[in-house]
Amino acid sequence: LIHFYKREGSMSALFKRLVVKAEDKDLVRPSDLPLYDEPSTVKYELIAREPGPLEQNIRSARETVNMVAHQAKEVGDQINHVYETGKAHSQGAYNQLLDEDNLLARIGVIAGMGTFGLVVGLVRGRMLKRVVYTGLGAGVGTAICYPEDSKVLTDNIYTESRKKAMIAYNFINGGTEQ
């Protein structure tokens, strides 16, 4: 469609030229007729104007949002840096705790966790809870200081308790031991 309109426009321009020349009564040879119109050069010019109130408000909002996003990114980078530094230091301290030569540090962690369990037991209840929470705290401290041994011990306890539970279940139901 676009080419059709372009042709129609060029044909009308050609027709106008021929009519004008015919009125002059000059005869034109077919070889002198132009096939296409000369393209006119189009120039665009931007007129400078002051931005309107809507444009000013949008610009202000955009700049504010960009500034807040930049500040949030900086804060996020700082938090990430603090987190990664803390993670690296904690891992270093834990690796130092797992070193075979740090017996006193291990004893300190176990005793500290036992004391923490005792404090929780004092808050939560009477004598039995104090003993249970103290033992639980010391057990957690031991599991932190000796992770491999704790895993083996946990697996053994699970296996043996499962066997004993099956024996008790079979005893109650009158079955045979397995």
Side-chain angles (χ1 to χ4, degrees), residues 2-174:
I2 295 172
H3 296 293
F4 176 74
Y5 289 121
K6 283 185 179 178
R7 279 192 225 144
E8 184 178 305
S10 64
M11 291 301 281
S12 64
L14 179 63
F15 181 73
K16 287 178 185 176
R17 282 186 189 171
L18 290 176
V19 169
V20 169
K21 288 190 177 187
E23 288 175 0
D24 292 341
K25 296 190 180 181
D26 291 335
L27 295 177
V28 179
R29 300 168 87 192
S31 61
D32 293 338
L33 291 175
L35 295 176
Y36 301 104
D37 286 339
E38 295 295 322
S40 61
T41 57
V42 179
K43 292 184 180 180
Y44 296 100
E45 187 174 328
L46 181 62
I47 299 172
R49 64 176 179 81
E50 291 293 319
L54 179 64
E55 291 173 327
Q56 289 175 348
N57 289 338
I58 290 174
R59 177 183 177 191
S60 174
R62 179 180 45 84
E63 289 174 350
T64 303
V65 166
N66 284 339
M67 183 178 62
V68 168
H70 180 68
Q71 289 175 350
K73 184 180 180 297
E74 286 180 3
V75 168
D77 290 343
Q78 289 175 350
I79 290 172
N80 189 31
H81 176 70
V82 168
Y83 171 75
E84 292 296 328
T85 302
K87 184 177 169 183
H89 287 198
S90 299
Q91 187 64 36
Y94 184 66
N95 288 338
Q96 188 177 10
L97 180 67
L98 294 181
D99 190 24
E100 293 292 328
D101 298 334
N102 285 335
L103 182 62
L104 292 177
R106 289 180 179 186
I107 291 171
V109 168
I110 294 169
M113 291 299 289
T115 305
F116 180 72
L118 178 63
V119 169
V120 171
L122 286 172
V123 172
R124 299 278 308 214
R126 301 216 179 244
M127 185 63 163
L128 181 63
K129 285 190 178 182
R130 291 179 194 163
V131 172
V132 169
Y133 283 126
T134 302
L136 188 64
V140 168
T142 304
I144 291 171
C145 293
Y146 299 99
E148 296 88 14
D149 296 337
S150 297
K151 180 160 176 44
V152 170
L153 183 63
T154 304
D155 290 342
N156 288 341
I157 289 173
Y158 176 74
T159 304
E160 290 299 319
S161 62
R162 184 174 166 101
K163 283 181 189 177
K164 299 300 179 190
M166 289 303 291
I167 291 172
Y169 176 76
N170 289 331
F171 179 73
I172 292 172
N173 287 332

